């Protein structure tokens, strides 16, 4: 069996969905399971709905209507006959969402988040499945919540592998085209859970693992895994083959092509992962598989923007030791600030962090009581795997280098743009 994952960008409009059909025609669809994300930016739009719901905002209704309109337009573009049963099916899903918003009593934000945000995937797979049938490809629509069981840690649920394995291997039919939702699961009480943003790749990994699949293919709008983001680097090249380890490292440093959790289950069973273009599905793309000599032939660049470089030094020139460091990390964790790089010397300690939730000012007030705090806002963190001198020069050109760290395979450079 093969597992295919189509992300939001690949099904963002009617043409995207028609293209999924074309891809399947070209690469075959017997004995396949399609894992599909919400269409386009629907998950973000549902996050706005959730925010409006908790803020008791007057915009709540209009934010739902907008999502309805978006999907309805796609339906109109795909199906000639407005009496097609898909219209009723999607309408019923929106009614269910509205019913939930009108009747929910739970004040738990994360719980509500998962119940609401899941409609993105439920609706996209409903549309896709009807469309494939409409074009003559018979499909089996699976509610993933009957297969992937998790704990009740809403928004970042952990998979119960044993139960999931049993349910998938027993109940997923082979020799047909299955379609199911990425990103979702269900807890013991059958409430919907989610696996973390961008979690659909992981869903594909879970199915592949439990089905002992032949391969996983992630269909993307790029030709495969590149050695650099073509938006920021000229001459970005495709990596034909990389090892699981290299892919895990790239994902760790922030390459966004593959969700980091996805690789572990695949590596355990040595199931190859392909990253391919949904525009040119017959091209080879990138293969991530077992092997020691699959390291990339060129340096790989990963860029993280809008970082904060913080240096802490002790006020009394005493050493910053384990005790301080563990306290500092405890605080970063508490304030949900992600640490991307660490460097320490005797009396100072520098970190490059990402303050996604805008908590730094609050944290700074606490840190400043114990340390002298210096920081640079809006810096960029470059990571170069398999660096060369030339690669470092490219990154450093016309920038001020604030910090540089080199290990055997990896160079990290924190820079500030010179205006
Ligand atoms: N729709 C979810 C998200 O946007 C899951 C995914 O796309 O992987 O985060
Ligand atoms: Mg996505």
């Amino acid at each position: 069996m093969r597992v295919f994952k189509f992300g939001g960008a690949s099904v963002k409009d009617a043409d995207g969905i028609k293209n999924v059909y074309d891809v399947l025609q070209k690469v075959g669809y017997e004995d396949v399971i399609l894992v599909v994300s919400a269409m386009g930016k629907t998950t973000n739009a549902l996050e706005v709905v959730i925010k409006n719901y908790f803020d008791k905002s007057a915009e709540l209704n209009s934010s739902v209507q907008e999502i309805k309109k978006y999907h309805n337009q796609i339906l109109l573009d795909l199906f000639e006959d407005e009496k097609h049963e898909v219209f009723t099916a999607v309408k019923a899903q929106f009614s269910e969402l509205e019913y939930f918003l009108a009747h929910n009593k739970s004040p738990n934000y994360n719980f509500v988040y998962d119940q609401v945000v899941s409609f993105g995937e439920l609706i996209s797979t409903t549309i896709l499945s009807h469309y494939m049938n409409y074009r003559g490809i018979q499909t089996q629509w699976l509610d993933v919540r009957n297969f992937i069981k998790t704990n009740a840690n809403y928004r970042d649920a952990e998979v119960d592998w044993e139960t999931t394995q049993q349910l998938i291997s027993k109940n997923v039919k082979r020799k047909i085209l299955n379609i199911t939702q990425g990103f979702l699961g269900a807890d013991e009480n059958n409430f919907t859970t989610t696996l973390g943003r961008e979690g659909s790749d992981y869903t594909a990994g879970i199915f592949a693992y439990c089905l002992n699949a032949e391969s996983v293919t992630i269909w993307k709008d790029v030709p495969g895994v590149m050695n650099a983001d073509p938006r920021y680097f000229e001459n970005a090249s495709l990596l034909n083959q990389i090892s699981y380890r290299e892919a895990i490292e790239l994902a760790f440093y922030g390459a966004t092509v593959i969700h980091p959790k996805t690789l572990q289950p695949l590596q355990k069973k040595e199931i190859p992962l392909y990253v391919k273009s949904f525009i040119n599905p017959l091209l080879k793309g990138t293969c991530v598989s077992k092997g020691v000599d699959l390291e990339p032939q060129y340096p790989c660049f990963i860029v993280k923007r809008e970082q904060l470089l913080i240096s802490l030094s002790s006020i009394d020139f005493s050493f910053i030791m384990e005790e301080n460091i563990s306290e500092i990390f405890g605080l970063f964790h508490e304030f949900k600030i992600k640490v991307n790089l660490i460097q320490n010397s005797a009396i100072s300690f520098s970190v490059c962090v990402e303050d996604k939730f805008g908590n730094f000012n609050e944290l700074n007030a606490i840190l400043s009581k114990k340390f002298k705090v210096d920081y640079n806002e809006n810096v960029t963190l470059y990571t170069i795997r398999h660096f060369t001198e030339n690669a470092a020069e490219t990154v450093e050109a016309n920038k001020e280098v604030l910090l540089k760290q080199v290990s055997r395979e990896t160079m990290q450079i924190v820079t500030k743009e010179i205006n």
Side-chain angles (χ1 to χ4, degrees):
M1 198 159 202
R2 289 178 297 165
V3 181
F4 290 172
K5 183 257 177 173
F6 283 93
S10 66
V11 292
K12 68 177 194 304
D13 51 24
D15 284 345
I17 292 164
K18 289 177 186 169
N19 185 60
V20 173
Y21 173 85
D22 293 339
V23 171
L24 293 176
Q25 289 294 349
K26 285 184 186 142
V27 303
Y29 50 83
E30 196 193 311
D31 213 17
V32 164
I33 177 158
L34 285 192
V35 173
V36 184
S37 303
M39 292 174 164
K41 302 260 178 257
T42 301
T43 306
N44 294 359
L46 285 162
E47 284 185 342
V48 173
V49 168
I50 296 154
K51 184 166 186 304
N52 287 339
Y53 173 78
F54 277 101
D55 291 350
K56 301 200 170 19
S57 158
E59 317 271 284
L60 175 62
N61 183 43
S62 62
S63 57
V64 176
Q65 295 313 314
E66 225 170 275
I67 302 174
K68 249 193 217 177
K69 233 170 79 188
Y70 167 65
H71 285 88
N72 203 51
Q73 187 56 53
I74 293 177
L75 285 177
L76 291 170
D77 292 343
L78 286 175
F79 299 90
E80 273 155 29
D81 181 3
E82 272 184 63
K83 295 206 181 63
H84 191 285
E85 60 182 343
V86 69
F87 286 89
T88 325
V90 171
K91 210 167 153 193
Q93 284 169 321
F94 277 110
S95 304
E96 207 183 310
L97 168 62
E98 286 169 325
Y99 184 90
F100 175 84
L101 292 170
H103 294 87
N104 167 62
K105 294 273 186 291
S106 170
N108 178 342
Y109 193 98
N110 292 345
F111 168 81
V112 170
Y113 181 100
D114 283 359
Q115 310 319 302
V116 170
V117 92
S118 54
F119 280 95
E121 271 73 10
L122 291 167
I123 293 169
S124 71
T125 50
T126 300
I127 295 177
L128 212 79
S129 173
H130 275 100
Y131 184 72
M132 294 305 147
N133 294 342
Y134 178 70
R135 296 288 302 269
I137 300 183
Q138 285 312 309
T139 59
Q140 172 82 28
W141 185 86
L142 304 177
D143 186 332
V144 76
R145 296 169 299 183
N146 298 328
F147 296 89
I148 295 185
K149 295 294 171 183
T150 69
N151 65 7
N153 189 15
Y154 300 108
R155 292 186 77 178
D156 194 18
E158 268 167 49
V159 174
D160 169 351
W161 282 96
E162 218 180 288
T163 315
T164 300
Q165 166 80 70
Q166 273 172 17
L167 288 168
I168 290 180
S169 52
K170 247 205 224 144
N171 300 326
V172 173
K173 287 204 199 96
R174 309 222 171 205
K175 301 282 167 215
I176 52 166
L177 176 63
N178 294 282
I179 296 189
T180 199
Q181 304 78 39
F183 180 49
L184 315 183
D187 67 14
E188 238 182 5
N189 297 313
N190 277 331
F191 285 115
T192 307
T193 56
T194 62
L195 306 172
R197 282 301 308 261
E198 305 300 329
S200 295
D201 289 3
Y202 185 39
T203 306
I206 297 167
F207 273 100
Y209 180 90
C210 296
L211 290 164
N212 291 317
E214 171 189 326
S215 63
V216 172
T217 308
I218 300 181
W219 297 98
K220 300 274 273 183
D221 55 1
V222 288
V225 180
M226 312 287 285
N227 76 323
D229 187 329
R231 284 173 302 178
Y232 306 131
F233 289 89
E234 294 168 29
N235 311 323
S237 349
L238 179 72
L239 304 171
N240 299 306
Q241 272 206 318
I242 51 175
S243 63
Y244 294 111
R245 202 202 124 175
E246 184 61 29
I248 288 169
E249 294 279 359
L250 292 173
F252 171 79
Y253 288 113
T256 51
V257 265
I258 307 166
H259 187 273
K261 274 194 200 165
T262 310
L263 292 154
Q264 279 130 11
L266 299 181
Q267 182 181 25
K268 267 196 207 154
K269 290 206 176 165
E270 296 181 8
I271 299 169
L273 170 77
Y274 297 98
V275 181
K276 291 191 188 209
S277 156
F278 60 66
I279 302 153
N280 291 307
L282 296 176
L283 295 184
K284 272 197 166 144
T286 301
C287 173
V288 183
S289 62
K290 190 188 162 201
V292 277
D293 50 355
L294 301 181
E295 304 319 326
Q297 311 82 322
Y298 351 88
C300 298
F301 299 85
I302 300 143
V303 186
K304 282 183 181 241
R305 290 173 192 271
E306 289 174 37
Q307 306 283 299
L308 199 59
L309 180 65
I310 309 170
S311 297
L312 305 173
S313 33
S314 46
I315 292 170
D316 56 2
F317 291 103
S318 63
F319 294 149
I320 296 213
M321 295 306 280
E322 288 84 350
E323 216 180 298
N324 285 318
I325 290 179
S326 77
E327 186 193 343
I328 295 166
F329 271 96
L331 286 168
F332 282 131
H333 182 72
E334 194 185 321
F335 284 87
K336 295 201 168 82
I337 294 179
K338 189 167 173 275
V339 177
N340 289 324
L341 177 145
I342 308 159
Q343 185 152 301
N344 71 322
S345 71
I347 52 163
S348 88
F349 177 75
S350 299
V351 279
C352 186
V353 302
E354 207 166 307
D355 182 22
K356 237 194 197 159
F357 302 98
N359 292 335
F360 176 65
N361 285 343
E362 221 179 309
L363 171 65
N364 191 12
I366 298 173
L367 289 172
S368 299
K369 287 185 192 142
K370 269 190 105 166
F371 304 98
K372 179 172 171 298
V373 182
D374 295 300
Y375 63 91
N376 296 86
E377 287 173 300
N378 215 356
V379 302
T380 305
L381 170 63
Y382 290 88
T383 302
I384 316 175
R385 294 269 305 156
H386 314 286
F387 58 91
T388 58
E389 223 168 275
N390 207 334
E393 272 167 25
T394 318
V395 164
E396 290 169 14
N398 306 321
K399 295 181 201 84
E400 184 188 348
V401 175
L402 301 176
L403 188 154
K404 192 162 166 176
Q405 196 174 72
V406 181
S407 61
R408 209 170 314 160
E409 305 272 17
T410 311
M411 178 183 278
Q412 295 195 284
I413 307 174
V414 180
T415 68
K416 196 161 180 62
E417 299 293 328
I418 300 173
N419 300 319

